[in-house]
Amino acid sequence: MKARIHVMLKNGVLDPQGEAVRHALGGLGFDGVEGVRQGKVIELDLADGTPEDSVAEMCEKLLANTVIESYSIEFV
Amino acid sequence: MKARIHVMLKNGVLDPQGEAVRHALGGLGFDGVEGVRQGKVIELDLADGTPEDSVAEMCEKLLANTVIESYSIEFV
Protein backbone atom coordinates (compact mmCIF):
# COMPACT_ATOMS: atom_id res chain seq x y z
CA MET A 1 0.00 0.00 0.00
CA LYS A 2 1.35 3.43 -0.92
CA ALA A 3 0.39 6.84 0.45
CA ARG A 4 1.40 10.18 -1.11
CA ILE A 5 1.35 13.17 1.21
CA HIS A 6 1.52 16.78 0.05
CA VAL A 7 2.68 19.29 2.67
CA MET A 8 2.31 22.95 1.71
CA LEU A 9 2.59 26.19 3.62
CA LYS A 10 -0.82 27.55 4.59
CA ASN A 11 -2.13 30.50 2.59
CA GLY A 12 -0.95 33.77 4.07
CA VAL A 13 2.27 32.28 5.40
CA LEU A 14 5.29 33.92 3.77
CA ASP A 15 7.21 31.52 1.51
CA PRO A 16 10.79 32.86 1.28
CA GLN A 17 11.90 29.76 -0.60
CA GLY A 18 9.21 30.31 -3.21
CA GLU A 19 10.19 33.96 -3.50
CA ALA A 20 13.82 33.00 -4.01
CA VAL A 21 12.84 30.57 -6.78
CA ARG A 22 10.63 33.20 -8.44
CA HIS A 23 13.48 35.70 -8.32
CA ALA A 24 15.94 33.15 -9.75
CA LEU A 25 13.55 32.21 -12.57
CA GLY A 26 13.23 35.90 -13.41
CA GLY A 27 16.99 36.16 -13.52
CA LEU A 28 17.10 33.30 -16.01
CA GLY A 29 14.73 35.20 -18.26
CA PHE A 30 11.47 33.43 -17.38
CA ASP A 31 9.34 36.51 -16.87
CA GLY A 32 5.83 34.95 -16.93
CA VAL A 33 6.14 33.61 -13.37
CA GLU A 34 3.82 35.56 -11.06
CA GLY A 35 4.08 33.38 -7.96
CA VAL A 36 5.88 30.29 -6.64
CA ARG A 37 4.85 28.10 -3.69
CA GLN A 38 7.15 25.26 -2.69
CA GLY A 39 6.25 22.30 -0.47
CA LYS A 40 7.09 18.68 0.22
CA VAL A 41 5.78 15.49 -1.28
CA ILE A 42 6.37 12.36 0.80
CA GLU A 43 5.69 8.88 -0.55
CA LEU A 44 5.24 6.16 2.07
CA ASP A 45 5.43 2.44 1.34
CA LEU A 46 3.15 0.93 3.97
CA ALA A 47 2.80 -2.69 5.03
CA ASP A 48 -0.57 -4.18 4.03
CA GLY A 49 -3.10 -3.73 6.81
CA THR A 50 -1.58 -0.47 8.05
CA PRO A 51 -4.59 1.56 9.18
CA GLU A 52 -5.22 4.57 6.92
CA ASP A 53 -5.89 6.90 9.84
CA SER A 54 -2.39 6.22 11.19
CA VAL A 55 -1.08 8.19 8.18
CA ALA A 56 -2.94 11.30 9.34
CA GLU A 57 -1.44 10.71 12.78
CA MET A 58 2.05 10.54 11.21
CA CYS A 59 1.38 13.91 9.55
CA GLU A 60 0.13 15.48 12.78
CA LYS A 61 3.05 14.17 14.84
CA LEU A 62 5.99 14.45 12.44
CA LEU A 63 5.56 15.06 8.73
CA ALA A 64 3.85 18.47 8.86
CA ASN A 65 4.17 21.46 11.15
CA THR A 66 0.43 22.00 11.42
CA VAL A 67 0.89 25.52 12.80
CA ILE A 68 2.05 26.82 9.41
CA GLU A 69 1.57 23.87 7.07
CA SER A 70 -1.44 21.99 5.72
CA TYR A 71 -1.25 18.43 4.39
CA SER A 72 -3.26 16.23 2.07
CA ILE A 73 -3.11 12.44 1.90
CA GLU A 74 -3.69 10.36 -1.21
CA PHE A 75 -3.66 6.54 -1.20
CA VAL A 76 -2.35 5.19 -4.50
CA MET B 1 -2.60 29.47 -15.40
CA LYS B 2 -1.12 27.22 -12.73
CA ALA B 3 1.51 24.49 -13.05
CA ARG B 4 2.30 21.93 -10.38
CA ILE B 5 5.73 20.30 -10.59
CA HIS B 6 6.76 17.19 -8.69
CA VAL B 7 10.52 16.71 -8.27
CA MET B 8 11.59 13.33 -6.88
CA LEU B 9 14.90 11.56 -6.56
CA LYS B 10 15.42 9.01 -9.33
CA ASN B 11 15.01 5.36 -8.38
CA GLY B 12 18.24 3.91 -7.12
CA VAL B 13 19.46 7.23 -5.71
CA LEU B 14 19.89 6.98 -1.94
CA ASP B 15 17.37 9.15 -0.06
CA PRO B 16 18.93 9.92 3.35
CA GLN B 17 16.11 12.32 4.17
CA GLY B 18 13.55 9.61 3.53
CA GLU B 19 15.53 7.17 5.65
CA ALA B 20 15.67 9.68 8.50
CA VAL B 21 11.88 10.16 8.31
CA ARG B 22 11.32 6.40 8.26
CA HIS B 23 13.57 5.98 11.29
CA ALA B 24 11.79 8.80 13.14
CA LEU B 25 8.36 7.35 12.36
CA GLY B 26 9.55 4.02 13.74
CA GLY B 27 10.69 5.75 16.87
CA LEU B 28 7.21 7.25 17.28
CA GLY B 29 5.74 3.76 17.17
CA PHE B 30 4.56 3.72 13.52
CA ASP B 31 5.99 0.35 12.58
CA GLY B 32 4.10 -0.31 9.31
CA VAL B 33 6.33 2.07 7.30
CA GLU B 34 8.53 0.08 4.92
CA GLY B 35 9.92 2.95 2.84
CA VAL B 36 9.85 6.73 2.59
CA ARG B 37 10.75 8.88 -0.42
CA GLN B 38 10.70 12.65 -0.02
CA GLY B 39 10.64 15.21 -2.82
CA LYS B 40 9.52 18.72 -3.70
CA VAL B 41 6.25 20.02 -5.04
CA ILE B 42 6.42 23.46 -6.66
CA GLU B 43 3.31 25.39 -7.65
CA LEU B 44 3.82 28.11 -10.25
CA ASP B 45 1.33 30.90 -10.95
CA LEU B 46 1.98 31.74 -14.59
CA ALA B 47 0.79 34.72 -16.59
CA ASP B 48 -1.75 33.77 -19.25
CA GLY B 49 -0.06 32.97 -22.53
CA THR B 50 3.11 31.64 -20.89
CA PRO B 51 4.22 28.82 -23.20
CA GLU B 52 3.82 25.41 -21.56
CA ASP B 53 7.20 24.20 -22.80
CA SER B 54 8.93 27.02 -20.92
CA VAL B 55 7.94 25.20 -17.70
CA ALA B 56 9.97 22.15 -18.75
CA GLU B 57 12.84 24.52 -19.50
CA MET B 58 12.51 26.00 -15.97
CA CYS B 59 12.79 22.48 -14.56
CA GLU B 60 15.81 21.63 -16.66
CA LYS B 61 17.61 24.89 -15.81
CA LEU B 62 16.70 25.45 -12.17
CA LEU B 63 13.94 23.51 -10.43
CA ALA B 64 15.35 19.99 -10.75
CA ASN B 65 18.85 18.57 -10.64
CA THR B 66 18.29 16.26 -13.59
CA VAL B 67 21.39 14.19 -12.76
CA ILE B 68 19.71 12.69 -9.69
CA GLU B 69 16.14 13.97 -9.87
CA SER B 70 13.20 13.41 -12.20
CA TYR B 71 10.30 15.84 -12.55
CA SER B 72 6.70 15.75 -13.71
CA ILE B 73 4.60 18.74 -14.74
CA GLU B 74 0.85 19.04 -14.31
CA PHE B 75 -1.15 22.04 -15.55
CA VAL B 76 -4.11 22.73 -13.25
Side-chain angles (χ1 to χ4, degrees):
Chain A
M1 190 166 80
K2 212 176 178 104
R4 180 178 296 148
I5 299 158
H6 282 87
V7 179
M8 297 295 287
L9 286 172
K10 289 180 177 174
N11 288 332
V13 176
L14 189 66
D15 182 1
Q17 210 170 356
E19 272 311 298
V21 170
R22 191 175 66 80
H23 190 69
L25 287 171
L28 287 171
F30 297 109
D31 44 24
V33 182
E34 293 172 348
V36 179
R37 302 277 293 176
Q38 181 155 332
K40 291 180 289 197
V41 55
I42 302 165
E43 290 183 355
L44 301 178
D45 287 327
L46 301 168
D48 290 338
T50 304
E52 292 195 357
D53 52 12
S54 68
V55 179
E57 214 185 319
M58 292 178 202
C59 293
E60 294 285 333
K61 283 189 176 172
L62 180 74
L63 302 178
N65 172 354
T66 51
V67 174
I68 58 169
E69 291 173 331
S70 59
Y71 62 86
S72 63
I73 301 169
E74 197 189 322
F75 290 96
V76 290
Chain B
M1 189 166 80
K2 214 176 176 101
R4 179 179 295 149
I5 299 158
H6 282 87
V7 179
M8 297 295 287
L9 286 171
K10 289 181 177 175
N11 287 332
V13 176
L14 189 66
D15 182 2
Q17 211 169 356
E19 272 310 298
V21 170
R22 190 175 67 81
H23 191 70
L25 286 172
L28 287 172
F30 298 109
D31 44 25
V33 183
E34 294 172 348
V36 178
R37 303 277 294 175
Q38 182 155 329
K40 291 181 287 195
V41 56
I42 302 164
E43 291 183 354
L44 300 179
D45 288 327
L46 300 169
D48 290 336
T50 303
E52 290 194 358
D53 52 12
S54 69
V55 179
E57 213 185 322
M58 293 178 203
C59 292
E60 295 284 334
K61 284 190 175 171
L62 181 74
L63 302 177
N65 173 354
T66 51
V67 174
I68 57 169
E69 292 173 330
S70 59
Y71 61 87
S72 63
I73 301 170
E74 199 188 319
F75 290 96
V76 290

